Amino acid sequence: MENHYRELLRFLSARLGDRQAAADVAHAADLRVLERSSQARIEHPRAFLYRTALNLAVDEHRRSRVRKAEPLHVLDEEEGMSEPSPQVLEDQRQRLDLLTLALNELPPLCRESFLLRKLEGLSHNEIAAHLNISRSLVEKHIVNAMRHCRLRMQAWESS
């Protein structure tokens, strides 16, 4: 899938009009395809990747339309009304601990690329400049980090 990434990114950027949103959808699509391919063989991986990305883009568009349509005070009220139970909080804490362990297993540049993207919201170009590495290496680090974390979380949760 990585060899189709730039082509997919251009395709999604043209559809979404936002390169950052396109990168997010491309990464999510790549993860979905990886998950699916670990369960069963995909006949036409490129077509499956594009269809998955388009579906994710449509979902994101729908969610953003709903968010824009709701007045801010309604969203704030809804958020305050749904306090998670102690069990949910404990489950989330355990998953966060496992995710932290998985991230700590990564090489430093891979971990840093992932955290700068997901926590700081930096673009691939900004991460590349910050870490003094190429943009394509940043993309590979992020995909590898997501793949590693997903596999580790699955392994830990199944045991």
Side-chain angles (χ1 to χ4, degrees):
M1 296 303 118
E2 291 172 27
N3 47 341
H4 298 296
Y5 180 78
R6 288 177 190 223
E7 178 185 332
L8 179 63
L9 193 56
R10 282 191 301 273
F11 173 78
L12 290 170
S13 292
R15 297 289 183 280
L16 299 173
D18 179 351
R19 188 158 175 84
Q20 199 59 51
D24 290 342
V25 170
H27 283 300
D30 188 45
L31 273 180
R32 292 255 176 110
V33 172
L34 286 171
E35 288 171 357
R36 176 73 183 268
S37 65
S38 68
Q39 299 166 358
R41 184 174 179 277
I42 299 173
E43 283 295 317
H44 304 285
R46 183 174 178 269
F48 186 78
L49 175 66
Y50 273 73
R51 175 50 50 202
T52 301
L54 278 173
N55 289 343
L56 289 170
V58 168
D59 291 346
E60 178 56 31
H61 177 70
R62 286 180 184 148
R63 277 193 299 276
S64 82
R65 264 196 356 226
V66 168
R67 281 191 300 263
K68 288 176 185 173
E70 285 290 339
L72 219 45
H73 71 278
V74 171
L75 293 174
D76 287 341
E77 289 170 7
E78 287 176 2
E79 195 172 288
M81 294 169 62
S82 61
E83 294 251 343
S85 71
Q87 180 61 44
V88 168
L89 289 172
E90 179 61 22
D91 290 345
Q92 290 174 344
R93 187 197 58 75
Q94 287 176 358
R95 287 183 57 79
L96 184 59
D97 290 345
L98 292 175
L99 180 59
T100 301
L101 285 172
L103 287 170
N104 287 335
E105 294 173 349
L106 293 169
L109 281 177
C110 186
R111 179 177 50 250
E112 188 70 14
S113 296
F114 177 80
L115 292 174
L116 287 171
R117 175 70 190 111
K118 296 302 181 184
L119 295 181
E120 303 297 325
L122 297 183
S123 70
H124 292 175
N125 288 334
E126 291 169 326
I127 296 168
H130 181 75
L131 298 177
N132 199 28
I133 59 177
S134 71
R135 185 179 190 287
S136 65
L137 189 54
V138 167
E139 292 169 359
K140 288 176 184 168
H141 280 320
I142 292 170
V143 168
N144 288 338
M146 291 185 341
R147 181 181 301 133
H148 173 78
C149 289
R150 178 183 48 81
L151 292 173
R152 294 299 285 156
M153 295 295 286
Q154 286 175 345
W156 287 325
E157 289 174 347
S158 68
S159 59

